[in-house]
Amino acid sequence: MARGDSSTHTQTAQTLLIVDDEPSLRFSIGEWARDAGFRALEAATGRDAIAQLQQSPVDGVLLDLKLGDEDGLQVLKRLREEDPQLPVVMLTGHGTLGDAVRATKLGAFDFMPKPPDLEHLEVVLRRALEHARLQREVEHLRKAREAQPLIGDSPGLKRVLQRLDKVAKSSTATVLIHGETGSGKELMAQYLHAKSARAGEPFVTVNCAAIPENLLESELYGYEKGAFTDAKRSKQGLFEVANRGTVLLDEIGEMSLALQAKLLRVLETRTFRRVGGHTNITVDVRVVASTHNDLRRKVGESKFREDLFFRLNVVPIDMPPLRDRPEDIAILAEYYIDHFCRPLARLPARLHPEALRAMVAYAWPGNVRELKNVIERVILLEAEDEILPQHLPPELAARGPLGGEGTPAPFPPGVVRPLVEIERLAIEHSLHECQGNKTQAAQKLGISRQTLRTKLKEFRIEDDAEGGVET
């Protein structure tokens, strides 16, 4: 499939650029390519080939070793600089083994004599295109492994993931993700992309709040050479870069009304023009938008287009804030402890129960991002083997204890905890107050010592009891 194609070819056609200074050979290979199901482009010079690649990205290139006075190996180098994963097959009428070795080192997929045997050429091209596809998929999987996963076991997160799994079965439905800053909206979009049929294709994020309005349009849609003073050459927009993949429009609520109107047309037609351009470019992308704003309210205030809101809100997803996912705090904390200890060649620090209770009691206005930053700071500057309450920032460490100083309250504002978690907190607190004496702790809790022992095994907190006195 051609990226950025302005013609009416089908979406399954792959674009082949034929670069040769012999018109008859370009014509004959072009005719064969079209019959074989490719969309064929032609270029007589290296300069023309680079210009076409910048104008309309291609899937593969057939490149002559000698282009008049031009060195095909230099053209190969420039093509690969434009697109490092672009598969290029070299053609030559008088090449040497040394030429083939140099071409391979510069990234050529294969080296064939001309005129080529067309049946063999098709086999080589299909193999080259499949190799490039696998390279892109491997790169995608590598980035996916490096990215932070959506971690947690709370009912709220499970509901979100189940909804994303269902949406992933469609490769076109537009999704609108709402959530507080730092809650993981981009991770949700990445999860959706990875679960969909578009996995392995580009995932591109555009922060609509971080790019000035006068630059955002050219970032999204690209521009032609000479479109404005500094436009020395044509440039693809991020919609073109993401072709066949997913575009995340982060903080869509910050986009100006003028750009909202243009975006609406792109969503409806999947076509646009570059800034300064005169031809339509067609792309195949899934659009995901995210925001921390109440877009319905912004529609009512005439700050967001109603028609665009409905076009984006085909599948609404609400990411719960971390304060509504207290079950996930321990899991996330352990993940980040390991994440930040590993590069330092340190074993993961132990998270003291009191420190964990302080973290669970905190409201986390910055959500998961704030938790991540806290753990990183503590690992780098404070804790060695164990994270203690005093290692935490003042706003966490100073939470009141069930009503006093030092231990966090079990019912902070805005948090409703499961009964099983309250039971665990009560047991841990009683053991702390009784210096680990299980008999005294059981008496204060109003349960038998055997019931307490059973609960300690159930919650796996017996080793956390200070002293563990068996009296």
Side-chain angles (χ1 to χ4, degrees):
M1 175 178 59
R3 302 175 199 167
D5 175 29
S6 59
S7 72
T8 58
H9 68 284
T10 65
Q11 290 293 322
T12 57
Q14 292 179 297
T15 304
L16 179 64
L17 176 60
I18 304 160
V19 189
D20 199 297
D21 59 345
E22 297 181 34
S24 60
L25 189 63
R26 286 202 313 274
F27 176 79
S28 61
I29 294 179
E31 288 296 295
W32 162 82
R34 294 179 187 94
D35 290 342
F38 293 99
R39 173 180 177 255
L41 301 176
E42 298 178 19
T45 66
R47 181 177 298 178
D48 187 20
I50 297 296
Q52 291 212 45
L53 182 63
Q54 293 172 347
Q55 173 69 26
S56 178
V58 300
D59 296 288
V61 177
L62 281 177
L63 174 62
D64 190 9
L65 181 64
K66 297 293 183 182
L67 293 167
D69 296 333
E70 291 183 282
D71 181 358
L73 293 179
Q74 290 301 312
V75 177
L76 168 63
K77 183 178 179 181
R78 291 168 59 197
L79 287 170
R80 297 280 294 179
E81 287 173 352
E82 289 287 332
D83 184 352
Q85 294 180 335
L86 180 67
V88 180
V89 175
M90 301 294 294
L91 299 177
T92 181
H94 38 69
T96 65
L97 179 60
D99 291 328
V101 171
R102 285 191 293 274
T104 302
K105 287 183 177 179
L106 287 171
F109 181 82
D110 209 336
F111 197 86
M112 299 180 64
K114 54 185 286 194
D117 177 278
L118 296 179
E119 185 174 337
H120 180 55
L121 176 61
E122 181 169 6
V123 172
V124 171
L125 280 174
R126 300 291 183 193
R127 191 185 307 142
L129 293 168
E130 177 63 12
H131 179 73
R133 185 191 68 79
L134 290 173
Q135 278 188 316
R136 290 193 300 270
E137 188 167 335
V138 168
E139 179 66 12
H140 165 75
L141 292 172
R142 182 188 67 79
K143 290 181 178 178
R145 284 196 300 270
E146 292 176 354
Q148 176 196 332
L150 276 168
I151 298 171
D153 196 40
S154 62
L157 183 61
K158 287 180 178 178
R159 284 193 297 271
V160 166
L161 295 180
Q162 290 170 357
R163 194 169 177 86
L164 289 172
D165 287 339
K166 292 179 180 179
V167 180
K169 295 176 182 178
S170 164
S171 62
T172 58
T174 305
V175 177
L176 179 60
I177 302 173
H178 180 268
E180 295 181 5
T181 299
S183 59
K185 298 187 291 295
E186 183 171 352
L187 293 178
M188 294 171 64
Q190 290 173 344
Y191 179 92
L192 174 62
H193 175 75
K195 288 285 186 175
S196 73
R198 297 181 184 273
E201 301 297 343
F203 175 86
V204 175
T205 299
V206 186
N207 189 330
C208 300
I211 304 174
E213 180 183 353
N214 60 332
L215 297 179
L216 183 56
E217 182 177 6
S218 59
E219 282 293 312
L220 290 173
Y221 309 123
Y223 55 80
E224 298 292 353
K225 180 179 179 180
F228 46 85
T229 303
D230 294 327
K232 307 295 184 184
R233 47 176 276 185
S234 298
K235 180 184 176 182
Q236 300 174 42
L238 294 178
F239 268 95
E240 287 180 80
V241 173
N243 192 40
R244 291 186 290 203
T246 303
V247 170
L248 169 62
L249 301 176
D250 192 22
E251 295 304 343
I252 187 71
E254 305 302 320
M255 182 178 285
S256 71
L257 290 170
L259 288 183
Q260 289 177 32
K262 294 183 179 181
L263 175 61
L264 179 63
R265 175 168 174 78
V266 175
L267 293 176
E268 291 175 341
T269 67
R270 291 297 190 269
T271 63
F272 58 89
R273 292 183 181 181
R274 291 178 178 172
V275 176
H278 302 287
T279 58
N280 289 334
I281 295 174
T282 301
V283 291
D284 171 25
V285 297
R286 183 211 286 275
V287 174
V288 179
S290 66
T291 182
H292 73 280
N293 290 310
D294 182 347
L295 291 189
R296 289 186 182 275
R297 179 179 58 79
K298 295 197 75 164
V299 168
E301 296 171 350
S302 299
K303 295 179 180 178
F304 200 86
R305 291 181 62 103
E306 184 177 37
D307 47 6
L308 178 59
F309 171 73
F310 289 125
R311 189 65 184 80
L312 292 171
N313 200 41
V314 175
V315 180
I317 303 283
D318 287 310
M319 184 64 172
L322 188 56
R323 63 179 173 275
D324 291 345
R325 299 162 47 198
E327 307 94 328
D328 295 340
I329 291 175
I331 301 172
L332 284 162
E334 295 291 348
Y335 170 82
Y336 284 123
I337 290 170
D338 179 73
H339 176 78
F340 290 117
C341 284
R342 192 182 300 272
L344 301 174
R346 288 163 47 181
L347 292 174
R350 180 176 180 268
L351 184 60
H352 192 279
E354 294 293 332
L356 176 58
R357 280 197 288 272
M359 295 173 68
V360 171
Y362 183 57
W364 298 106
N367 290 291
V368 179
R369 185 180 299 146
E370 183 183 6
L371 186 150
K372 177 183 178 181
N373 293 340
V374 165
I375 295 294
E376 181 177 18
R377 182 165 64 252
V378 168
I379 292 297
L380 290 176
L381 302 178
E382 304 289 347
E384 289 291 337
D385 300 326
E386 186 173 34
I387 298 176
L388 301 172
Q390 57 265 35
H391 293 148
L392 299 175
E395 61 269 23
L396 275 78
R399 302 294 293 181
L402 302 171
E405 288 296 326
T407 306
F411 302 113
V415 175
V416 176
R417 292 203 176 97
L419 286 174
V420 66
E421 186 179 340
I422 298 300
E423 188 175 20
R424 177 185 175 119
L425 282 173
I427 291 171
E428 289 179 333
H429 178 65
S430 66
L431 286 169
H432 173 72
E433 292 296 313
C434 298
Q435 289 78 47
N437 187 309
K438 298 185 179 69
T439 299
Q440 291 182 15
Q443 290 174 349
K444 288 181 177 293
L445 288 167
I447 59 176
S448 70
R449 185 170 171 277
Q450 182 57 44
T451 298
L452 176 60
R453 289 174 59 85
T454 301
K455 291 294 182 181
L456 291 174
K457 290 180 181 179
E458 178 184 342
F459 294 129
R460 298 180 182 179
I461 59 175
E462 187 166 7
D463 290 340
D464 294 337
E466 298 182 8
V469 180
E470 295 281 358
T471 60

